[in-house]
Amino acid sequence: MANRYKSDLSWSDVTPAEVFFNRRKFMTGAAALAAGGIAGPAFAAASKFSTDEEPNKWDEITNYNNFYEFGTGKTDPSEYAGALTTSPWKIEIEGMVDKPGSYSYEDIMANMTVEERIYRFRCVEAWSMIIPWNGFELADLLNMVGVQDGAKYVAFETLVRPEEMWGQKRNFIPWPYREGLRLDEAMHPLTMMATGIYGKDIPNQNGAPMRLVVPWKYGFKSIKSIVKIRLTDEQPETSWNMINAPEYGFYSNVNPDVDHPRWSQASERRVGGGLLAKRIPTLKFNGYEEEVAGLYEGMDLAKFF
Ligand code: MTE
């Protein structure tokens, strides 16, 4: 049986050469060496958390999106997100931290180790993809700013800039888009801040310049284009829960046994599979059960959905 967790695949194996050599922030010392002629996997050993399933194509990952700040259609983000200015970019880190402040994208990246993670991605709408992200563990950023005793949750916000994000001129979501994690979820090694896909800077429609990726939760938890991170002792408000609490819980762990009130979550449609492709079974915690089930020991997952 294919090992769902470990893989020898790296983005150099799945990426066309022109993309492979166009990456920017990924250039560590070893990567720089490789660009000078030493090929592939030696410098980009895939994470032990990577799946060996075949990644979706760049065009699929960047043309079928949810980013309501740019409209509600799946192709709206790729059409309109180019209007977003992503440089300069600052992230306010505040609340129960030792070093609160306004951190530039560059301040953060200078202190982080970027690696590739090929993760399953499962939207609450029951479509899914396999995405080769580049990014760093959120825990590294939280440790950089120093989480204080007593902090229990991490709250995130996307920017509000209606002049560049036309969807924000309509109020069907109370902007800013908000998300949150329990601190132990945020510190889990699977939880990452993504800054790239296929070794290229992350495109605007996928949440440039930095977005959360929590692979065992429904995709809406993976908030895009983050400008604020707050450590708190109270469970933060989250957008979809504010809009419709009976349908979208705070936890939103992928769970084939707990249906959405309006549709089954037992199976999913892999984007790019074609119209006749069979749906595939959805895995508990999106296939990351071994790694994360312990976080929820003793909790009723139907109640804390
Ligand atoms: N983040 C913001 N700021 N705005 C959004 O509308 N949509 C969410 C999530 N993050 C969303 C967001 C939803 S519903 C999903 S499924 C994923 O982003 C989609 O990520 P992708 O477009 O990169 O596949």
Side-chain angles (χ1 to χ4, degrees):
M1 204 184 83
N3 184 334
R4 302 194 78 100
Y5 302 102
K6 298 186 173 61
S7 168
D8 294 319
L9 254 196
S10 76
W11 49 263
S12 51
D13 297 319
V14 295
T15 309
E18 68 276 13
V19 173
F20 181 81
F21 288 110
N22 265 332
R23 68 203 186 278
R24 270 189 15 230
K25 281 133 196 155
F26 202 62
M27 298 286 280
T28 61
L33 250 185
I38 301 165
F43 69 87
S47 161
K48 64 180 175 153
F49 294 122
S50 287
T51 174
D52 59 7
E53 290 163 87
E54 195 184 335
N56 277 87
K57 297 189 173 69
W58 170 265
D59 284 350
E60 292 160 352
I61 298 169
T62 61
N63 287 293
Y64 188 92
N65 300 100
N66 279 335
F67 200 165
Y68 286 166
E69 285 85 339
F70 297 103
T72 54
K74 291 285 180 281
T75 56
D76 284 342
S78 53
E79 192 170 346
Y80 300 113
L84 182 65
T85 307
T86 59
S87 180
W89 193 268
K90 285 192 180 290
I91 301 185
E92 301 289 332
I93 306 184
E94 57 182 45
M96 303 172 77
V97 292
D98 294 335
K99 291 178 253 173
S102 178
Y103 291 85
S104 72
Y105 177 84
E106 290 76 15
D107 290 339
I108 293 172
M109 295 311 279
N111 288 288
M112 296 295 125
T113 305
V114 172
E115 61 172 302
E116 183 203 59
R117 300 276 182 96
I118 305 173
Y119 279 168
R120 285 178 288 278
F121 188 88
R122 168 62 158 82
C123 177
V124 73
E125 298 163 335
W127 53 266
S128 65
M129 295 202 211
I130 304 293
I131 306 184
W133 303 106
N134 310 101
F136 55 86
E137 290 185 10
L138 176 62
D140 290 343
L141 177 58
L142 297 179
N143 289 332
M144 182 181 110
V145 296
V147 177
Q148 293 181 342
D149 287 350
K152 295 196 180 83
Y153 295 91
V154 188
F156 304 87
E157 289 181 13
T158 298
L159 82 163
V160 179
R161 198 183 287 161
E163 62 279 18
E164 291 183 358
M165 304 172 107
W166 69 269
Q168 289 186 331
K169 292 180 177 156
R170 300 186 301 170
N171 282 329
F172 58 97
I173 288 180
W175 312 110
Y177 192 100
R178 280 162 252 222
E179 259 309 333
L181 295 172
R182 226 170 51 189
L183 184 60
D184 58 346
E185 297 175 323
M187 296 300 263
H188 192 281
L190 278 172
T191 303
M192 63 186 296
M193 287 288 245
T195 55
I197 294 173
Y198 272 122
K200 295 223 291 183
D201 287 346
I202 194 165
N204 287 4
Q205 60 266 38
N206 292 85
M210 206 176 274
R211 61 91 60 90
L212 189 67
V213 176
V214 195
W216 72 93
K217 292 177 180 284
Y218 292 120
F220 67 84
K221 297 292 292 182
S222 293
I223 180 173
K224 297 178 167 181
S225 304
I226 294 168
V227 292
K228 193 176 281 189
I229 299 176
R230 182 167 36 89
L231 277 289
T232 161
D233 55 2
E234 280 174 23
Q235 184 176 306
E237 289 205 298
T238 57
S239 288
W240 285 100
N241 187 255
M242 290 163 76
I243 296 164
N244 190 342
E247 296 197 356
Y248 305 102
F250 176 79
Y251 285 92
S252 291
N253 292 316
V254 175
N255 192 339
D257 304 327
V258 178
D259 286 338
H260 187 278
R262 288 181 284 133
W263 58 85
S264 164
Q265 294 292 25
S267 69
E268 64 202 52
R269 176 180 64 86
R270 185 59 55 78
V271 170
L275 286 177
L276 297 175
K278 265 179 101 177
R279 292 174 73 91
I280 55 177
T282 287
L283 303 172
K284 198 160 188 182
F285 296 111
N286 204 22
Y288 300 98
E289 182 170 10
E290 198 179 305
E291 289 86 352
V292 301
L295 296 174
Y296 309 102
E297 235 160 49
M299 277 175 72
D300 179 347
L301 296 177
K303 189 169 167 214
F304 295 96
F305 63 93

